[in-house]
Amino acid sequence: MDMRDIAKLAGVSSATVSRVINGFNNVKPATAERVRRVIAETKFYPNSSATTLKHGKSSTYGLIIPDITNPFFPEFIRSFERIMVEWDRDMFMATTDFHASRVQQSIRRMLIRKVDGVALLASEIETEPIEALIHNRVPLVTMDRRLTGPGLSDVLIDYGSGMDEAVKHLKRLKHRRIGYIGGSVGPTISDHRRDAFIATMKDNGLKAEQELIRAGNYRIPGGETAMLELLALSHRPTAVIAANDLTAIGAMRTIQKHGLSVPEDISIVGFDDIELADILHPPLTTLRLSRSELAGIFFKALEALRSEPHAQGQQYAIRSGLVVRGSTGPAHSE
Amino acid sequence: MDMRDIAKLAGVSSATVSRVINGFNNVKPATAERVRRVIAETKFYPNSSATTLKHGKSSTYGLIIPDITNPFFPEFIRSFERIMVEWDRDMFMATTDFHASRVQQSIRRMLIRKVDGVALLASEIETEPIEALIHNRVPLVTMDRRLTGPGLSDVLIDYGSGMDEAVKHLKRLKHRRIGYIGGSVGPTISDHRRDAFIATMKDNGLKAEQELIRAGNYRIPGGETAMLELLALSHRPTAVIAANDLTAIGAMRTIQKHGLSVPEDISIVGFDDIELADILHPPLTTLRLSRSELAGIFFKALEALRSEPHAQGQQYAIRSGLVVRGSTGPAHSE
DNA sequence: GTGAAAGCGCTAACAA
DNA sequence: TTGTTAGCGCTTTCAC
């Protein structure tokens, strides 16, 4: 069943059917009505492959995320998908599970499907697949990579603003030995966060001790392991800031398993503010990053590059802000 | 850049380029090598729209889920995506947020994109969009709808098997007044679960009291509200089984907010065994439904119908099993 | 206001 | 082993 079949049944040409489907107004209302009736009766759906082939554009954006089981991403996807549906775009999602090879594979698939742009929220970024995108004039919007170029925009996560609030909050609670559990070693995005921590500590007249800075992996087990190391120190931190909420949850679990309490013994601050943060015991103090705002920025950035895939990209930014809940309290005086 | 360009650069015809890309072995190795080099140099990616148009098949399956923020689904998606990538298929995901109109919209998009099949895990099912699928010979695999037909398969969730374990477990702990918090009112899938509860209670010589059976909405707030109602009863249940883990979490929160303890005052049993179930306080006793197994069954069902979209569908089934953790304990004697 | 027809990039049947 | 070519379903220009 194609447009020619519809045309035949409605006694018109396929060109007219196309015009009706695409809502052109230069069709006589009676004719349009007749065509629409046939379409409904036959349950006809136009074939998007033909349209994409014709236009060279698919009205689809690719979305690459590292870990769909981190609640931050489903919450992001929900917002992103809503915007896409509203604007009549399709979303093509892929997960990397933190493997660079999966990023490459995903980008390959997206190039084959002729997506109109890629939103890359994973941090396992290699230059080769990115060059393939740029070379094929497919716009790319990255997260916190802090690099722009032709067809390449970036959304900076202003970790610093929230981090400053967090450190000031802890300082007010008399914390001096503040630890940090970062993300995976390697990706620059992890470095940005760690550097923000160190800089903020300094700005607030506190020392960021080397031994209190550990690496995690953005997941619960990473937080557990890192916290274990911190607990083994002769001189423990009284508060710990984590690179994301899952890491913070892992840290909290370890503390509690050791018979210690949050926040009585150690205060914990997360990052993201996943919905879950509010149902934990104690509820997590965290730096909020708005998923819907982030989704909106990504969409805006993609649209801006869609019409002109080789235009100079932009640097966007999104702020984070402290949400105080139960996982932070006065410093445990030793 | 298309195959003809590649062909020209490699001094062959586009047919040969196509053969090389698709791994046909009737190309002289030297020629193939030359073509491959040109492809690599030009970073060429074939246009899948053309292939889809030609074949009438897209190697894509649609996946419709109700709520991506319910951790069950990301965990399912991860398994499903892995299988898809392994078998060189693409996944086209859509979320309904529990709206029937969004199901319809999603199916529309999938028909337009010519997916080779749809996995429908949402329960907001209306006959119209389903007919559109069948009419267009797009196979459909549903979850626990218990209906099959030409091009229509179903995966039954054997709630009963696990439910029996759960009730026996609670009975052994001396529970007699066992409540149930179900899913949304309406979808038959919710009815199946509730009926399984009632039947199982009866089988075990217990009475499923009407006033102890409440409806939720598969989300945390639904569990909270329903539990509030149960707590308001003059004769409260000593144990509650929930239609999914989020509902169970909501119920637990309400109990704890009221100064009561789980499981000392009331025992809670969930359904799904999301990863989160293990990090709660107390960890949740729940009926496990394997995401990877479920994903495998859906894939198998889709593949079986792909080659013959109008073949008679099959009824598949998946079992659930009890995982005992900390949220169940001896009945509180009143 | 409507139709005829070319062509988007790929595949596969057929020819050489 | 390789090339020629028709055609998948749609859009759009041009003609009427």
Side-chain angles (χ1 to χ4, degrees):
Chain A
M1 179 73 45
D2 63 20
M3 284 195 184
R4 279 215 305 281
D5 296 322
I6 302 298
K8 224 166 284 171
L9 289 169
V12 296
S13 76
S14 65
T16 297
V17 175
S18 173
R19 291 194 260 258
V20 171
I21 285 178
N22 293 290
F24 288 76
N25 54 8
N26 54 350
V27 180
K28 217 201 308 183
T31 315
E33 190 44 41
R34 197 148 30 94
V35 171
R36 266 193 287 270
R37 188 159 36 240
V38 173
I39 289 175
E41 277 165 8
T42 55
K43 299 188 204 290
F44 168 74
Y45 292 84
N47 186 330
S48 67
S49 307
T51 314
T52 298
L53 185 57
K54 185 75 187 164
H55 282 143
K57 284 205 179 315
S58 61
S59 295
T60 299
Y61 286 130
L63 173 63
I64 303 180
I65 61 167
D67 176 17
I68 198 168
T69 64
N70 176 345
F72 178 82
F73 292 104
E75 292 169 14
F76 174 85
I77 292 168
R78 181 162 65 172
S79 292
F80 193 72
E81 192 194 352
R82 274 194 195 147
I83 299 172
M84 295 288 275
V85 170
E86 186 186 333
W87 288 82
D88 203 29
R89 307 262 181 272
D90 280 343
M91 182 182 79
F92 181 50
M93 196 207 71
T95 304
T96 70
D97 283 336
F98 301 103
H99 296 303
S101 64
R102 294 276 299 272
V103 176
Q104 181 142 17
Q105 197 174 33
S106 307
I107 289 181
R108 215 190 98 80
R109 282 164 176 271
M110 291 178 181
L111 282 163
I112 289 175
R113 297 184 67 112
K114 298 286 170 281
V115 300
D116 296 341
V118 172
L120 179 58
L121 280 78
S123 38
E124 298 67 41
I125 307 176
E126 299 196 329
T127 49
E128 193 189 321
I130 291 185
E131 274 170 12
L133 283 172
I134 301 303
H135 183 87
N136 283 276
R137 302 191 161 254
V138 177
L140 173 64
V141 182
T142 55
M143 177 152 103
D144 215 14
R145 197 161 156 260
R146 312 201 180 180
L147 228 54
T148 64
L152 174 63
S153 288
D154 183 62
V155 182
L156 180 150
I157 310 292
D158 180 2
Y159 205 51
S161 59
M163 183 66 85
D164 189 61
E165 284 186 70
V167 170
K168 283 194 163 63
H169 167 67
L170 291 174
K171 199 178 164 188
R172 216 174 299 122
L173 292 167
K174 307 286 183 222
H175 291 275
R176 293 297 172 269
R177 278 184 75 74
I178 303 175
Y180 177 77
I181 303 178
S184 331
V185 180
T188 53
I189 187 167
S190 303
D191 295 343
H192 294 324
R193 297 198 177 184
R194 191 203 51 219
D195 294 347
F197 169 72
I198 295 173
T200 308
M201 288 290 280
K202 207 170 142 192
D203 290 350
N204 284 278
L206 295 172
K207 211 162 29 167
E209 311 238 18
Q210 204 48 246
E211 67 168 3
L212 298 185
I213 298 179
R214 303 280 159 167
N217 60 6
Y218 295 118
R219 285 173 291 174
I220 291 176
E224 291 178 325
T225 309
M227 193 66 224
L228 218 49
E229 296 168 11
L230 291 175
L231 288 180
L233 294 175
S234 55
H235 198 186
R236 292 173 181 167
T238 61
V240 172
I241 299 178
N244 74 355
D245 284 348
L246 291 185
T247 305
I249 289 171
M252 264 175 47
R253 286 191 80 187
T254 293
I255 293 170
Q256 291 166 341
K257 266 191 196 151
H258 275 245
L260 299 173
S261 289
V262 177
E264 287 75 11
D265 297 295
I266 298 182
S267 288
I268 296 287
V269 178
F271 187 84
D272 279 349
D273 193 22
I274 57 180
E275 282 174 19
L276 190 57
D278 194 29
I279 69 160
L280 294 169
H281 293 288
L284 191 63
T285 295
T286 188
L287 297 176
R288 174 162 179 72
L289 186 58
S290 164
R291 265 73 70 187
S292 56
E293 193 187 340
L294 189 63
I297 294 174
F298 265 94
F299 183 73
K300 199 172 104 185
L302 286 165
E303 287 288 310
L305 289 173
R306 190 170 106 107
S307 43
E308 265 207 85
H310 245 57
Q312 178 64 30
Q314 270 191 262
Q315 179 65 257
Y316 298 82
I318 182 170
R319 290 176 63 86
S320 60
L322 185 68
V323 179
V324 177
R325 296 205 184 87
S327 68
T328 45
H332 177 72
S333 52
E334 305 187 43
Chain B
M1 178 76 42
D2 63 21
M3 283 194 184
R4 279 216 304 282
D5 296 322
I6 303 298
K8 222 166 285 169
L9 288 170
V12 295
S13 78
S14 66
T16 297
V17 175
S18 173
R19 289 183 187 112
V20 171
I21 285 178
N22 293 291
F24 287 77
N25 55 9
N26 55 351
V27 179
K28 213 196 319 177
T31 315
E33 189 44 41
R34 198 147 31 95
V35 171
R36 266 192 287 271
R37 188 159 34 238
V38 174
I39 289 174
E41 275 165 10
T42 56
K43 298 187 204 293
F44 169 74
Y45 292 85
N47 187 331
S48 68
S49 308
T51 314
T52 298
L53 184 57
K54 182 77 186 164
H55 284 144
K57 284 207 180 312
S58 61
S59 295
T60 299
Y61 287 129
L63 172 64
I64 303 180
I65 61 168
D67 176 17
I68 197 168
T69 64
N70 176 344
F72 178 81
F73 292 103
E75 292 170 15
F76 174 85
I77 292 168
R78 182 164 63 173
S79 292
F80 193 72
E81 193 194 349
R82 273 194 196 148
I83 299 172
M84 296 288 275
V85 169
E86 187 186 332
W87 288 81
D88 203 28
R89 308 259 180 274
D90 279 343
M91 181 182 79
F92 181 48
M93 195 207 71
T95 305
T96 70
D97 283 336
F98 301 102
H99 296 303
S101 65
R102 293 277 300 271
V103 177
Q104 181 142 17
Q105 197 174 34
S106 307
I107 289 180
R108 215 190 99 80
R109 284 165 175 270
M110 290 176 182
L111 282 163
I112 289 176
R113 294 181 66 122
K114 298 286 170 279
V115 299
D116 296 341
V118 172
L120 180 58
L121 279 79
S123 38
E124 297 70 38
I125 306 176
E126 300 196 327
T127 48
E128 193 190 319
I130 290 184
E131 275 169 13
L133 283 173
I134 302 302
H135 183 86
N136 283 276
R137 301 188 162 256
V138 177
L140 173 64
V141 182
T142 55
M143 176 152 105
D144 215 14
R145 197 161 157 259
R146 312 200 181 182
L147 228 56
T148 63
L152 175 62
S153 289
D154 183 60
V155 182
L156 180 148
I157 310 293
D158 180 2
Y159 205 51
S161 58
M163 184 67 87
D164 189 62
E165 285 186 68
V167 170
K168 283 193 163 63
H169 167 68
L170 292 174
K171 200 178 164 189
R172 216 174 299 124
L173 292 167
K174 306 288 182 220
H175 291 275
R176 293 296 172 269
R177 280 184 73 73
I178 302 176
Y180 177 77
I181 303 178
S184 330
V185 180
T188 54
I189 187 167
S190 303
D191 295 344
H192 294 323
R193 297 197 177 185
R194 191 203 50 220
D195 295 347
F197 170 74
I198 295 173
T200 307
M201 287 290 280
K202 208 171 142 192
D203 290 349
N204 284 279
L206 296 172
K207 212 166 26 172
E209 311 240 19
Q210 204 48 246
E211 67 169 3
L212 298 186
I213 297 179
R214 303 283 159 165
N217 59 7
Y218 294 118
R219 283 173 293 173
I220 291 175
E224 291 178 324
T225 309
M227 194 66 225
L228 219 49
E229 296 170 14
L230 291 175
L231 288 180
L233 295 174
S234 55
H235 198 185
R236 291 173 181 168
T238 63
V240 172
I241 298 178
N244 73 356
D245 285 347
L246 291 186
T247 305
I249 290 171
M252 265 178 41
R253 285 190 80 188
T254 294
I255 293 170
Q256 291 167 342
K257 266 191 197 151
H258 275 243
L260 300 172
S261 288
V262 177
E264 288 74 13
D265 297 296
I266 299 180
S267 288
I268 296 286
V269 178
F271 187 85
D272 280 348
D273 192 23
I274 57 180
E275 283 173 19
L276 191 55
D278 194 29
I279 69 160
L280 294 168
H281 294 286
L284 191 63
T285 295
T286 188
L287 297 175
R288 175 163 179 70
L289 185 59
S290 164
R291 266 74 69 186
S292 57
E293 192 187 341
L294 189 64
I297 295 174
F298 265 94
F299 183 72
K300 197 170 105 185
L302 286 166
E303 287 288 311
L305 289 172
R306 190 171 107 106
S307 43
E308 265 207 89
H310 245 57
Q312 178 64 31
Q314 270 191 262
Q315 179 66 257
Y316 299 81
I318 181 170
R319 291 176 62 85
S320 59
L322 185 67
V323 179
V324 177
R325 296 205 184 87
S327 68
T328 45
H332 178 72
S333 52
E334 307 186 44

